[in-house]
Every structure is written in structure tokens, then in C-alpha cells.
Amino acid sequence: MTTALPALSNLSPAVAIHLTAAVLATALGPVALWARRSLAQRPRLHRAAGYAWVTLMVLAALSALFISGSRGPRLAGFGPIHLLVPFALGMIVLSFRYLLQGNLSGHRRTMQGVYIGGCVVAGSFTLLPQRLLGQWLWGSVGLI
């Protein structure tokens, strides 16, 4: 039994904003990280990509507050996945604090951690077959 997936145009504004910001942040993150780690460092590219990535991550985190799923335990409409919101925002603030203190290694480690945890790990869970993105992906290739 298959259920019809919502068309992209039928998504709620919160889901559409969250999806767009998260996908763009996942794609842009390596550019910001690479621009300072490559042999030919590109500080302008790093700064521009970094600010854009932070903006996308903040947008993704804040838009997540307006998304309420139907699975799992809930408290006032929020599930365990919503714990990533204050964590991601807090780590971004901490990263800028490190930067202002001149602690570049702390800044680098924190931003890498937010990217890995917020984009790669959390993003991987969205590809599970019961999730919207997973249904779109795996259903389009005929696996579910």
C-alpha cells in the first residue's frame, strides 16, 4: 500500500523553508570549510560562504520550531528532534564567541561539529524510508 506524497508545491511554508535552508546549508557547508583548509586559503570566500551557511542554519533551526510531526513522543508539539534547535543555535553562538576571542581552533572544531551533526547526521535521518525526503528519494527509484 503506497500513500501519495505531497507535491513540493503542497508543502507547508515551514516545511518548505526548512527543507530549502537545510539542503542549501548541507551543500554550502563544505565550501566554507574548504576555503580555509585548502593550501590556497580564500578568506573572502570562507567568510561569505560561512555567513551564508550560518544564515541558512539559523533559518533551518528556527523553521523547525514550526514543524510538528506525528510520530514519537511529544511535549507541547515538540519531539526529541527539536532538541537540535537550541543545540545548533548555541553552538553557532559559541563558535562566534571563539572567533571573537581569537580561538580559531575552537571556532573551526565547533563549526565542523555543527556541520557534521546538523547537516550530515541529522540530514541522514531524513533519508529514512518513513520520512518525507526518504519517501521522495527511495520512491522515485522504486525501492519503496
Side-chain angles (χ1 to χ4, degrees):
M1 177 173 111
T2 59
T3 58
L5 297 174
L8 195 55
S9 61
N10 292 337
L11 295 177
S12 72
V15 171
I17 290 167
H18 182 75
L19 176 64
T20 302
V23 168
L24 290 175
T26 302
L28 186 59
V31 174
L33 296 173
W34 166 82
R36 284 304 265 189
R37 296 296 302 195
S38 65
L39 291 176
Q41 291 189 10
R42 295 167 176 83
R44 287 185 186 169
L45 176 61
H46 172 74
R47 184 170 288 172
Y51 279 122
W53 181 81
V54 165
T55 302
L56 290 166
M57 287 298 290
V58 169
L59 189 58
L62 294 178
S63 63
L65 294 174
F66 298 95
I67 301 171
S68 178
S70 59
R71 294 189 179 101
R74 299 273 167 231
L75 179 62
F78 297 109
I81 191 78
H82 289 97
L83 293 174
L84 289 175
V85 172
F87 182 75
L89 295 175
M91 290 296 102
I92 289 171
V93 168
L94 178 63
S95 178
F96 277 102
R97 184 172 175 207
Y98 283 145
L99 193 59
L100 290 172
Q101 293 172 343
N103 183 350
L104 298 182
S105 67
H107 172 73
R108 181 184 317 111
R109 282 192 319 271
T110 304
M111 284 301 199
Q112 288 171 343
V114 173
Y115 179 77
I116 297 295
C119 293
V120 177
V121 174
S124 297
F125 283 108
T126 67
L127 300 178
L128 293 172
Q130 68 270 24
R131 306 282 303 207
L132 179 65
L133 248 113
Q135 290 175 359
W136 280 345
L137 176 65
W138 307 122
S140 70
V141 295
L143 294 177
I144 59 169

